[in-house]
């Protein structure tokens, strides 16, 4: 971190920069009678972009709030750099929180919003340093022209930029981001996503990012933890999550269009998708009955394909086309590049990439095949 | 494709250009509605008008039948209101006449002389009005302060028996306050609170507090917690967050609560009548007491009522946008 990647790095550090490994061990949290978090443990390394992925109500936000100290866990430990912070107030934990919405103080201007964390009695920073720091941050985020505005007069994208700005002015130990992009429209989300990732790489800060959007998770994360019903289902890189999903839940959560999931069984050394013509020779040791997962891009249309199917629906997306293929009683979703000339009712031939199959046992857990 | 410069409006649109969409029928309905509102408002304002007129009428005009709509305005009513007077003894009439001729008489003195009276001293009304200001002001400030703190606590924190406590606070309003007048009177006399400002202030504060707590809780409930949580994470303590983030956002709630509390404390009659006599008596019970002094001084009563009305009207007008929000709070989504 010695080059001039970003002007912020050349600042004389106003607050001593700390390492920021975050460790959660065995966090359990009950909200009334519902268990929001059930024995959650993970470790975020310094400088890592860590994404918590899960559906609404999975406990993602609760996890963030426990780390920030806004809520107290019933059991377990939160540690920053192996130092437990359970007893510290949110102010003393030195984290920055970017909320999904309602995060800018409505009675203050953009400048005062950005200055607010720096003016905290915890830091005691002189006003001239605050001004300089804000100028640098607004330059990075390209919001310098907004400084005098009231926050109510900002667009959604500008608001979220200011929110992020309010987090980075302070150089905290860790950034906690709670779906900061989910209230924005698709185009804006895409560009802010890139910006955010770029920002994290230039600043080299630790970010814990919570989202329900698998695309955000796959594109931005160094590592992902998938949360379901208060439990960590899988933790790993984007590759791990996408190529080796630990359960059918993860397999279905990640990837769009969704993974094809079928009941399948063994028959004379081949595996057969129950109720269809699809039959694949396999050498893997598999139980009698299991679930077979095939990613849509691994269903390949070819003139010399192994299995015939009828096109029942075509969804052209431009770069690719989603085809719904009917084989026997089963419908497979296939993703073909570019615009397809297949029409509804056409009979096409397809094959399945044998080496890209996912197997799950009846408990919906992955069967290791390698 | 044609650019916006070619297809867009030639001139900037200052007001809605969709007036063409408003049908003539709708416009007539709008006008009729406005007229009805004005007429109803005028009817409602008749008592106020009568009071205003009476305050400036001379003694014969006040009791004229049928009532006079057009009359020579005079300040007699205010003279009667602010002064104690005596009829000038016939022997001293010449002395007064001389003084009047020399132009050595003040405005009020002259006014009194014209009705054959002399001013013997200021009336008690000024003191009563001052008492009203003290009692209403201090009790309102106290109710709003305590109500704001309690409302915030009830809105944000979990505590054992919270719902029961809230219900208990509300239950203090369930029976008419006058019912407890007699026991309160006895208690006050024992404790030396009878006829003191403190006594009335305490009474009004307690009475308004339940209302203030509930109203302020409602306002705080509407402020998203995220703001405070952001401030907590940004390195501020709970009380700093409350002062810097929550209070500025609840200004409208505080204003509405202030108006409601002030109107109650300002207008309160029954307790003021029972719990005070001379020292701490407020304006409301003292206005009708003018009835008995040398015939009914209607113009003095009207003048007293008018003066009494003015402060509360001014404050209500100053805070009316908050008041409206206070009346409809909870009904508006942000």
């Amino acid at each position: 971190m010695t080059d001039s990647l970003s002007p912020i790095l050349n600042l004389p550090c106003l607050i001593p920069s700390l390492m920021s490994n975050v460790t959660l061990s065995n966090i359990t949290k009950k909200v009334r009678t519902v268990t929001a978090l059930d024995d959650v443990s993970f470790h975020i390394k310094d400088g890592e972009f860590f994404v918590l992925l899960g559906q609404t109500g999975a406990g993602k936000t609760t996890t963030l709030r426990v780390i920030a100290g806004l809520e107290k866990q019933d059991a377990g430990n939160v540690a920053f750099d192996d130092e437990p912070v359970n007893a510290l107030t949110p102010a003393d934990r030195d984290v920055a929180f970017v909320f999904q919405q309602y995060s800018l103080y409505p009675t203050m201007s953009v400048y005062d919003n950005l200055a607010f964390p720096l003016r905290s009695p915890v830091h005691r920073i002189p006003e001239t340093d605050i001004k300089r720091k804000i100028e640098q941050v607004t330059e990075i985020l390209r919001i310098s022209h907004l400084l005098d505005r009231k926050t109510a007069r900002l667009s959604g994208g500008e608001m979220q930029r200011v929110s992020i700005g309010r987090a980075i002015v302070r150089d905290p130990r860790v950034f906690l981001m709670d779906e900061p992009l989910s209230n924005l429209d698709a185009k804006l989300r895409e560009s802010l996503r890139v910006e955010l990732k770029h920002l994290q790489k230039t600043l080299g800060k630790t970010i814990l990012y919570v989202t329900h959007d698998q695309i955000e998770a796959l594109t931005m994360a160094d590592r992902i933890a998938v949360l379901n019903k208060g439990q960590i289902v899988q933790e790993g890189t984007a590759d791990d999550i996408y190529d080796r999903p630990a359960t059918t839940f993860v397999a279905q959560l990640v990837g769009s269009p969704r993974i094809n999931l079928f009941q399948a069984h063994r028959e004379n050394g081949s595996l057969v998708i129950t109720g269809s013509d699809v039959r694949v020779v396999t050498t893997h040791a598999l139980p009698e009955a299991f679930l077979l997962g095939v990613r849509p891009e691994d269903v390949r249309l070819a003139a010399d394909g192994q299995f015939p199917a009828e096109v029942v629906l075509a969804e052209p997306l431009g770069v690719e086309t989603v085809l719904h293929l009917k084989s026997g009683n089963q419908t497979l979703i296939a993703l073909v590049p570019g615009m397809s000339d297949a029409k509804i009712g056409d009979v096409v031939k397809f094959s399945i990439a044998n080496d890209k199959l996912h197997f799950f046992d009846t408990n919906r857990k992955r069967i290791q095949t390698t | 494709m044609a650019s916006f410069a070619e297809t867009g409006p030639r001139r900037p649109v200052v007001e809605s250009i969709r007036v063409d969409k408003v049908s003539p029928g709708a416009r007539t309905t709008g006008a009729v509605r406005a007229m009805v509102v004005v007429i109803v408002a005028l009817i409602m304002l008749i008592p106020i008008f009568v009071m205003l007129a009476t305050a400036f009428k001379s003694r014969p005009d006040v009791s004229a039948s049928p009532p006079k709509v057009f009359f020579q305005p005079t300040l007699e009513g205010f003279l009667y209101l602010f002064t104690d007077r005596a009829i000038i003894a016939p022997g001293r009439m010449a002395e007064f006449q001389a003084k009047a001729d020399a132009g050595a008489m003040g405005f009020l003195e002259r006014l009194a002389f014209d009705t054959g009276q002399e001013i013997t001293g200021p009336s008690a009304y000024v003191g009563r009005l001052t008492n009203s200001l003290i009692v209403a002001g201090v009790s309102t400030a106290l109710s709003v302060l305590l109500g704001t703190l309690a409302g915030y606590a009830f809105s944000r924190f979990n505590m054992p028996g919270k719902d029961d406590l809230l219900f208990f606070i509300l239950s203090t309003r369930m029976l008419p306050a006058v019912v407890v007048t007699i026991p309160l009177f006895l208690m006050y006399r024992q404790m030396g609170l009878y006829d003191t400002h403190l006594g009335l202030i305490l009474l009004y504060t307690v009475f308004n507090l339940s209302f203030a707590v509930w109203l302020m809780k409602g306002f705080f409930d509407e402020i998203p917690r995220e703001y405070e949580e952001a401030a907590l994470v940004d390195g501020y303590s709970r009380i700093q967050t409350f002062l810097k983030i929550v209070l500025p956002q609840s200004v409208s709630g505080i204003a509405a609560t202030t108006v409601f509390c002030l109107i109650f404390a300002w207008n309160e009659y029954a307790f003021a009548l029972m719990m005070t006599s001379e020292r701490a008596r407020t304006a409301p019970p003292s206005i009708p007491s003018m009835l008995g002094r040398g015939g009914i001084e209607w113009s003095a009563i009207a003048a007293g009522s008018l003066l009494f009305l003015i402060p509360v009207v001014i404050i209500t007008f100053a805070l009316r946008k908050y008041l409206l929000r206070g009346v409809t709070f909870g009904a508006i989504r942000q």
Side-chain angles (χ1 to χ4, degrees):
Chain A
M1 298 274 176
T2 50
D3 55 31
S4 53
L5 274 174
S6 142
I8 204 165
L9 297 176
N10 302 331
L11 261 183
C13 244
L14 299 169
I15 308 148
S17 198
L18 295 154
M19 284 277 287
S20 24
N21 292 283
V22 178
T23 314
L24 265 70
S25 28
N26 312 101
I27 299 286
T28 298
K29 164 90 190 157
K30 282 198 170 67
V31 180
R32 293 200 184 84
T33 53
V34 183
T35 306
L37 295 177
D38 184 6
D39 201 20
V40 168
S41 304
F42 57 82
H43 176 78
I44 307 169
K45 289 194 280 272
D46 184 48
E48 195 171 36
F49 200 121
F50 192 89
V51 171
L52 260 185
L53 177 65
Q55 291 160 328
T56 312
K60 306 176 302 252
T61 302
T62 312
T63 313
L64 280 197
R65 296 171 59 87
V66 166
I67 297 174
L70 293 171
E71 268 175 61
K72 210 151 193 70
Q73 66 271 24
D74 298 328
N77 272 308
V78 181
F80 293 172
D81 300 318
D82 302 322
E83 212 176 289
V85 293
N86 301 323
L88 297 184
T89 62
D92 292 332
R93 292 193 188 194
D94 194 17
V95 299
F97 210 123
V98 179
F99 292 84
Q100 184 173 350
Q101 55 175 349
Y102 291 138
S103 47
L104 297 181
Y105 309 121
T107 49
M108 302 182 192
S109 68
V110 169
Y111 183 90
D112 288 334
N113 260 282
L114 290 170
F116 192 74
L118 298 174
R119 286 175 183 156
S120 149
V122 179
H123 303 311
R124 298 177 183 283
I125 303 169
E127 203 63 31
T128 49
D129 287 350
I130 292 178
K131 190 160 192 293
R132 209 174 42 198
K133 186 104 189 177
I134 288 175
E135 276 165 10
Q136 269 150 348
V137 168
T138 48
E139 211 162 289
I140 298 172
L141 292 167
R142 290 177 276 119
I143 48 174
S144 313
H145 58 294
L146 302 175
L147 283 176
D148 297 327
R149 290 253 195 109
K150 279 273 175 192
T151 55
R153 308 186 73 90
L154 298 177
S155 71
E158 289 168 342
M159 269 190 193
Q160 236 24 338
R161 269 215 192 98
V162 176
S163 285
I164 293 166
R166 203 178 57 193
I168 65 178
V169 278
R170 194 152 61 84
D171 201 14
R173 299 179 75 159
V174 57
F175 291 99
L176 307 172
M177 303 199 176
D178 189 1
E179 311 213 14
L181 308 183
S182 68
N183 281 11
L184 306 176
D185 63 71
K187 278 264 184 289
L188 202 54
R189 198 165 359 171
E190 223 164 84
S191 66
L192 268 182
R193 202 163 69 205
V194 176
E195 247 173 74
L196 207 54
K197 178 73 183 170
H198 180 73
L199 200 64
Q200 189 261 343
K201 287 296 156 221
T202 37
L203 300 182
K205 299 300 291 187
T206 315
I207 294 187
L208 173 53
Y209 187 99
V210 153
T211 182
H212 66 269
D213 182 348
Q214 49 108 9
I215 296 176
E216 280 178 17
L218 293 179
T219 51
M220 294 195 288
D222 294 322
R223 275 190 315 133
I224 302 171
V226 181
L227 202 60
N228 184 32
K229 292 177 186 156
Q231 289 177 313
I232 299 273
V233 192
Q234 188 175 3
E235 194 187 323
T237 62
D239 289 357
D240 292 334
I241 303 285
Y242 192 77
D243 289 338
R244 291 171 292 280
T247 67
T248 56
F249 173 81
V250 179
Q252 289 180 308
L253 187 68
V254 178
S256 171
R258 264 183 176 208
I259 193 169
N260 294 294
L261 207 57
F262 302 108
Q263 291 285 345
H265 57 274
R266 267 191 317 151
E267 222 174 84
N268 313 326
S270 305
L271 64 89
V272 177
I273 294 177
T274 311
S276 82
D277 308 332
V278 181
R279 172 183 291 268
V280 186
V281 179
T282 179
T283 51
H284 298 308
L286 293 167
E288 264 319 305
F290 56 94
L291 287 165
L292 174 68
V294 188
R295 294 263 177 219
E297 65 271 26
D298 298 329
V299 178
R300 286 161 191 170
L301 255 63
D304 57 344
Q306 285 174 279
F307 320 107
E310 188 194 335
V311 178
V312 288
L313 190 68
E315 301 173 72
L317 302 175
V319 256
E320 53 205 10
T321 304
V322 181
L323 292 176
H324 297 238
L325 305 173
K326 196 161 174 90
S327 166
N329 297 328
Q330 298 282 15
T331 306
L332 285 92
I333 293 172
L335 199 60
V336 297
M339 301 292 280
S340 165
D341 47 11
K343 295 197 175 44
I344 293 173
D346 284 0
V347 173
V348 294
K349 293 213 160 190
F350 71 93
S351 26
I352 284 174
N354 278 17
D355 52 333
K356 296 274 185 78
L357 300 179
H358 305 272
F359 306 105
F360 302 96
D361 63 21
T362 44
N363 292 326
R364 309 197 144 242
K365 290 228 160 51
R366 182 178 190 83
I367 301 171
Q368 293 299 336
T369 50
T370 46
Chain B
M1 207 201 272
S3 72
F4 179 78
E6 288 158 33
T7 59
R10 299 280 146 83
R11 267 176 286 163
V13 180
V14 182
E15 283 178 54
S16 170
I17 49 167
R18 304 308 295 272
V19 273
D20 56 315
K21 291 274 176 186
V22 182
S23 71
R27 256 181 282 173
T28 320
T29 318
V32 170
R33 269 191 201 167
M35 265 156 63
V36 171
V37 168
V38 168
I39 291 168
V40 171
L42 284 178
I43 294 172
M44 298 291 202
L45 285 172
I46 286 176
I48 306 285
F49 173 75
V50 170
M51 185 178 80
L52 192 70
T54 310
F56 291 99
K57 277 182 182 173
S58 61
R59 195 179 278 176
D61 284 349
V62 166
S63 47
S65 178
K68 278 192 176 174
V69 179
F70 301 99
F71 56 90
Q72 182 71 41
T74 154
L75 290 173
E76 265 180 42
F78 293 89
L79 171 75
Y80 299 153
L81 182 67
F82 286 121
T83 59
D84 283 339
R85 298 156 315 280
I87 293 182
I88 301 173
R92 293 174 63 212
M93 204 62 189
E95 173 196 333
F96 274 87
Q97 187 62 53
K99 197 176 174 191
D101 291 343
M105 264 184 175
F107 177 73
L108 284 175
E109 232 177 318
R110 172 85 210 207
L111 204 62
F113 173 66
D114 288 347
T115 56
Q117 297 178 90
E118 66 169 319
I119 295 169
T120 56
S123 74
Y125 188 74
V126 179
R128 306 266 150 97
L129 212 55
T130 316
N131 285 345
S132 263
L133 281 173
I134 293 170
V135 170
V138 175
S139 80
T140 301
L142 275 177
S143 326
V144 173
L145 176 73
L146 296 174
T148 302
L149 295 175
Y152 181 72
F154 276 119
S155 170
R156 290 295 191 261
F157 303 119
N158 278 318
M159 54 193 101
K162 177 171 152 180
D163 293 342
D164 301 321
L165 265 174
L166 271 172
F167 181 79
F168 166 73
I169 288 172
L170 190 66
S171 72
T172 58
R173 292 189 86 90
M174 285 181 184
L175 100 174
V178 216
V179 171
V180 293
T181 311
I182 304 236
L184 266 178
F185 174 76
L186 297 173
M187 276 157 63
Y188 264 45
R189 222 176 38 178
Q190 282 290 314
M191 295 171 72
L193 286 172
Y194 176 76
D195 199 21
T196 61
H197 291 107
L198 180 65
L200 271 192
I201 289 170
L202 279 179
L203 207 55
Y204 292 173
T205 304
V206 169
F207 194 80
N208 270 333
L209 200 52
S210 60
F211 183 70
V213 170
W214 273 81
L215 202 58
M216 286 314 296
K217 177 184 179 296
F219 279 107
F220 288 128
D221 284 345
E222 278 189 13
I223 301 174
R225 282 165 187 242
E226 275 86 347
Y227 295 129
E228 286 152 83
E229 290 175 342
L232 287 177
V233 172
D234 279 345
Y236 289 82
S237 70
R238 183 54 90 163
I239 187 77
Q240 289 161 341
T241 303
F242 177 73
L243 293 175
K244 283 181 194 281
I245 302 297
V246 183
L247 273 191
Q249 286 188 68
S250 50
V251 169
S252 68
I254 291 173
T257 311
T258 306
V259 171
F260 282 125
C261 291
L262 188 71
I263 289 177
F264 168 80
W266 186 254
N267 290 345
E268 208 285 326
Y269 175 81
F271 281 126
L273 185 66
M274 296 293 292
M275 301 299 180
T276 61
S277 62
E278 276 305 315
R279 257 189 316 143
R281 174 142 292 188
T282 56
S286 58
I287 292 172
S289 75
M290 287 181 241
L291 284 176
R293 219 181 295 142
I296 302 171
E297 298 283 13
W298 287 114
S299 52
I301 291 175
S305 307
L306 190 67
L307 287 183
F308 179 70
L309 215 65
I310 287 170
V312 96
V313 167
I314 289 174
I315 288 186
T316 310
F317 259 85
L319 302 177
R320 68 186 182 284
K321 65 172 178 179
Y322 304 118
L323 193 67
L324 186 68
R325 187 149 156 60
V327 175
T328 55
F329 86 104
I332 303 169
R333 295 216 50 82
Q334 295 134 335

